[in-house]
């Protein structure tokens, strides 16, 4: 939902802790080594009118794309690059998520909620397919061609690492028919993606993206209750810092720069 939001907007609202004891665990099995599980435990802590909820999610998938260079060790494309080992499969998944919440009832003074979460991925990542072209640089330099089978590839190395940690504090209290809400949050995100840029057995191209971001935000607002006239007034502060390093190692025929040369 959301007018003027490109592609729409998604509002994720995590279920709050409960005073009564609740627990749930689910599991899923499927083809290609698919194994998933998620669940939670929620209940009162017995101190200071505080309840807590701990939830988790684990997802694993062996991958749909087989790699014809699985286990093959390869040197760097250019001096100073990294050595790699071909993964067994691509389009795989290995993610883990954990969220801990506490909710303290302050009576007439409102509620205080703390949310801490962690998410991590560590797998080979997507199988990047190459467009069919009768003349490519791997063919010109090494007579090497990508695999035509859509469920296979040639990858000398691939990895997808994602690590996100977040902490949020939310305070709410009634102000007559209106509600005061104040929240402060901090998030750290790191991603490291590496893949074989040409999808052939030739030492021709590799690409690596490393992204590091930090963001902090504070929001305070008062919102009216239900009625013919509804209003909201408040202020928001957001600080977002991000940097990205992109490294592309590749070989090209000298003829591209000096016509007539090999």
């Amino acid at each position: 939902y959301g007018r003027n939001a490109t592609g729409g907007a998604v509002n994720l609202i995590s279920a709050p802790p409960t005073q009564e004891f609740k627990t749930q665990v689910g599991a899923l099995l499927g083809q290609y080594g698919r194994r998933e599980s998620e669940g939670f435990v929620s209940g009162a802590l017995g101190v200071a009118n505080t309840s807590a909820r701990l939830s988790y999610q684990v997802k694993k998938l062996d991958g749909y794309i087989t790699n014809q260079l699985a286990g093959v060790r390869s040197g760097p494309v250019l001096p100073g690059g990294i050595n790699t080992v071909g993964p067994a499969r691509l389009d795989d998944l290995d993610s883990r998520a954990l969220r801990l919440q506490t909710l303290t009832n302050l009576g007439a003074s409102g509620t205080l909620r703390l949310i801490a979460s962690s998410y991590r991925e560590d797998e080979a990542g997507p199988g990047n397919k190459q467009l069919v072209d009768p003349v490519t640089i791997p063919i010109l330099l090494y007579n090497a061609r990508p695999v035509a089978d859509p469920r296979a590839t040639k990858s000398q190395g691939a990895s997808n690492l994602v690590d996100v940690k977040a902490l949020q504090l939310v305070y709410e209290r009634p102000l007559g028919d209106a509600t005061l809400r104040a929240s402060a949050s901090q998030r750290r995100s790191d991603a490291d993606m590496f893949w074989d840029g040409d999808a052939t057995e030739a030492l021709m191209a590799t690409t690596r993206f490393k992204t590091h971001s930090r963001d902090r935000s504070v929001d305070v607002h008062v919102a009216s209750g239900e009625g013919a006239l509804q209003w909201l007034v408040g202020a928001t502060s957001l600080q977002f810092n991000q940097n990205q390093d992109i490294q592309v190692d590749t070989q090209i025929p000298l003829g591209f720069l000096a016509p007539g040369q090999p």
Side-chain angles (χ1 to χ4, degrees):
Y1 67 91
R3 185 176 180 179
N4 297 333
T6 301
V10 178
N11 188 16
L12 300 178
I13 304 174
S14 54
T18 57
Q19 280 290 324
E20 61 273 22
F21 178 78
K22 292 182 178 181
T23 184
Q24 177 178 304
V25 174
L28 186 150
L29 298 175
Q31 291 177 300
Y32 300 98
R34 185 179 183 185
R35 307 175 303 282
E36 298 182 10
S37 178
E38 62 180 22
F40 71 88
V41 58
S42 178
L45 294 180
V47 292
N49 294 322
T50 299
S51 55
R53 177 186 174 102
L54 179 65
S55 52
Y56 78 94
Q57 182 188 75
V58 178
K59 291 186 176 183
K60 292 181 180 293
L61 181 72
D62 291 343
Y64 303 107
I65 308 299
T66 58
N67 182 21
Q68 295 184 2
L69 301 180
V72 176
R73 294 184 176 273
S74 302
V77 171
L78 299 176
I82 64 175
N83 298 317
T84 60
V85 178
R89 288 177 176 264
L90 288 93
D91 285 339
D92 59 336
L93 178 64
D94 187 352
S95 68
R96 298 171 294 281
L98 190 68
R99 179 188 291 123
L100 173 65
Q101 303 179 71
T102 63
L103 177 63
T104 303
N105 190 342
L106 304 175
S109 297
T111 61
L112 183 64
R113 188 176 177 187
L114 177 68
I115 307 172
S117 61
S118 173
Y119 176 82
R120 182 173 177 82
E121 283 188 42
D122 186 357
E123 71 260 347
N128 296 303
K129 303 302 293 182
Q130 303 296 313
L131 296 176
V132 177
D133 194 329
V135 180
T136 62
I137 296 178
I139 294 176
L140 293 174
L141 290 179
Y142 300 102
N143 194 30
R145 291 171 168 78
V147 181
D149 184 352
R151 287 297 183 95
T153 189
K154 295 178 182 178
S155 174
Q156 293 170 321
S159 64
N160 180 53
L161 305 176
V162 179
D163 189 6
V164 182
K165 290 181 173 60
L167 182 65
Q168 185 178 27
L169 190 66
V170 182
Y171 172 71
E172 288 185 325
R173 65 163 299 170
L175 290 178
D177 293 333
T179 301
L180 168 68
R181 188 178 193 271
S183 63
S185 64
Q186 176 174 300
R187 182 178 61 174
R188 187 197 75 187
S189 175
D190 293 286
D192 187 346
M193 302 174 63
F194 175 85
W195 65 91
D196 185 340
D198 60 287
T200 71
E201 66 274 20
L203 279 173
M204 221 250 10
T206 57
T207 303
R208 187 174 192 178
F209 280 76
K210 296 186 68 175
T211 307
H212 170 83
S213 67
R214 297 287 186 275
D215 61 84
R216 299 180 178 90
S217 67
V218 176
D219 176 86
V220 180
H221 66 256
V222 179
S224 66
E226 297 294 331
L229 175 65
Q230 298 184 30
W231 52 268
L232 182 146
V233 60
T236 300
S237 173
L238 171 65
Q239 180 186 24
F240 182 81
N241 298 309
Q242 176 175 285
N243 62 71
Q244 184 178 76
D245 294 326
I246 304 174
Q247 179 179 343
V248 179
D249 292 350
T250 185
Q251 298 185 43
I252 61 174
L254 185 58
F256 283 13
L257 305 176
Q261 297 299 312

